[in-house]
Amino acid sequence: MIKFTAKALLCAVAIGFGGLAQAAEPIVIKFSHVVADSTPKGQGALLFKKLVEERLKGKVEVQVYPNSSLYGDGKEMEALLLGDVQMIAPSLAKFGQYTKKLQVFDLPFLFKDIHAVDRFQHSPTGKELLKSMENNNITGLAYWHNGMKQLSANKPLRVPRDARGLKFRVQSSDVLDAQFKAVRANPRKMAFSEVYQGLQTGVVNGAENPWSNIYSQKFNEVQKYITESNHGVLDYMVITNTKFWNGLPADIRSQLSEILEEVTDKVNAEAWALNQKAKKAVIDSGTSQVIDLTPEERAQWVKAMKPVWKQFEGEIGSNVIEAAQAANDEK
């Protein structure tokens, strides 16, 4: 009887220590994304990992998977909702099936520059949009800039008629689809990881990307002309699984939020510089001719694409579009 009791006690102690060991295991955050480490998003993910593992050492481990190495942009949202990854940062164009309001970021020529985008994202309306998908188990944590988009093709694009009949790669966005149809081009939805080959083989003739994507993915090697149109924004929303996020210990969640805010400030401050560096690298490479639009040429693009605003006003909400327009005025 005494032997049995001692044995039972030893088992209980062992189980107790095992439970403590298990409890001490760090929380793992898998951060999956589809672009290169050298892009604003890539740099942001790595900085987030660095700061989290410095300040929450032993408590949280961040694993970063760049360049679609874990999930492509067609699967990463499903993986987040299933809990296979805990953090992703999709383009703002990817949320159409969860909320129509975020389509505001896809409207062509809505924002005059990245500073206007930043002001809108910090406005009450912009902050509300971060929470607009929580009914679908998606919590927005931050906006990360990539940059303003440029048009690329294998023929010069100076005025809208130059785009007629060309096949442009677009993200899975009804607004971007309508944007190219407005200039009588043919949009083709395609995963980001397939774009280089698509351009190389002629499956698509053109695309729209910030300079950092153009250079890091070597799109300039398969596109003879790049028009600096700044016609739209390609930004990201850092999102997490709502149940995962709310299930974190309050102190851990608070510290992660603080770190993410710090990282966001740095990402957004450096995005413009990264894009300018990438633009210079593209020009220096000599692979593509960069076209600067005259004010008259740009006005033609604006006129051709502006009807898209009215087309989606009902889905987005006129109040959201008006708040975005108001951000163009510096205060």
Side-chain angles (χ1 to χ4, degrees), residues 237-275:
M237 185 185 288
V238 182
I239 61 173
T240 187
N241 181 299
T242 303
K243 291 178 182 176
F244 164 78
W245 187 251
N246 291 341
L248 292 173
D251 62 324
I252 297 289
R253 187 168 61 244
S254 177
Q255 290 178 79
L256 288 174
S257 294
E258 289 177 8
I259 292 169
L260 192 57
E261 185 175 349
E262 182 179 337
V263 171
T264 298
D265 288 343
K266 291 185 177 180
V267 168
N268 291 350
E270 293 174 7
W272 187 86
L274 278 170
N275 275 289

Side-chain angles (χ1 to χ4, degrees), residues 32-283:
S32 174
H33 66 82
V34 302
V35 295
D37 284 333
S38 58
T39 61
K41 178 161 61 174
Q43 292 290 291
L46 292 175
L47 181 58
F48 179 70
K49 172 183 172 67
K50 177 178 180 290
L51 295 183
V52 167
E53 294 183 355
E54 284 176 358
R55 300 176 191 177
L56 293 168
K57 190 172 183 179
K59 296 181 180 179
V60 181
E61 175 189 341
V62 178
Q63 300 172 357
V64 177
Y65 298 89
N67 265 328
S68 303
S69 58
L70 190 61
Y71 295 101
D73 56 6
K75 293 290 184 181
E76 63 178 4
M77 185 70 77
E78 179 184 351
L80 182 86
L81 293 173
L82 290 172
D84 294 333
V85 296
Q86 288 69 46
M87 199 172 283
I88 60 176
S91 161
L92 292 167
K94 301 289 178 61
F95 296 110
Q97 71 182 94
Y98 305 102
T99 176
K100 298 297 184 183
K101 292 182 179 181
L102 284 169
Q103 292 180 127
V104 66
F105 290 103
D106 288 342
L107 293 177
F109 296 104
L110 175 58
F111 299 102
K112 69 177 184 179
D113 54 31
I114 199 68
H115 304 297
V117 176
D118 197 57
R119 286 191 291 272
F120 174 63
Q121 291 172 349
H122 280 88
S123 72
T125 302
K127 290 177 181 178
E128 286 172 13
L129 293 177
L130 288 172
K131 307 301 180 185
S132 62
M133 298 177 285
E134 290 192 336
N135 288 340
N136 290 298
N137 199 29
I138 299 167
T139 292
L141 301 174
Y143 294 107
W144 283 3
H145 293 331
N146 188 346
M148 304 303 286
K149 294 184 291 187
Q150 321 306 334
L151 292 169
S152 67
N154 283 323
K155 62 174 287 189
L157 299 175
R158 295 186 181 277
V159 293
R161 66 172 175 272
D162 294 332
R164 289 182 185 177
L166 296 184
K167 294 173 288 186
F168 282 88
R169 179 266 171 172
V170 294
Q171 300 175 77
S172 185
S173 160
D174 291 340
V175 176
L176 298 181
D177 193 79
Q179 167 189 280
F180 283 108
K181 286 179 178 176
V183 295
R184 301 187 188 180
N186 300 309
R188 295 283 185 270
K189 293 177 182 177
M190 180 181 290
F192 188 69
S193 59
E194 300 170 5
V195 177
Y196 182 91
Q197 186 177 4
L199 293 169
Q200 186 180 44
T201 59
V203 173
V204 287
N205 314 121
E208 54 169 7
N209 283 285
W211 288 109
S212 64
N213 281 9
I214 292 169
Y215 185 66
S216 67
Q217 299 295 322
K218 302 181 179 180
F219 295 153
N220 56 299
E221 295 181 358
V222 287
Q223 296 278 261
K224 294 179 181 177
Y225 300 93
I226 302 170
T227 299
E228 190 164 37
S229 53
N230 292 312
H231 63 280
V233 62
L234 199 164
D235 270 8
Y236 308 109
M237 185 185 288
V238 182
I239 61 173
T240 187
N241 181 299
T242 303
K243 291 178 182 176
F244 164 78
W245 187 251
N246 291 341
L248 292 173
D251 62 324
I252 297 289
R253 187 168 61 244
S254 177
Q255 290 178 79
L256 288 174
S257 294
E258 289 177 8
I259 292 169
L260 192 57
E261 185 175 349
E262 182 179 337
V263 171
T264 298
D265 288 343
K266 291 185 177 180
V267 168
N268 291 350
E270 293 174 7
W272 187 86
L274 278 170
N275 275 289
Q276 292 308 301
K277 184 178 178 181
K279 176 185 173 182
K280 184 178 185 302
V282 169
I283 293 171

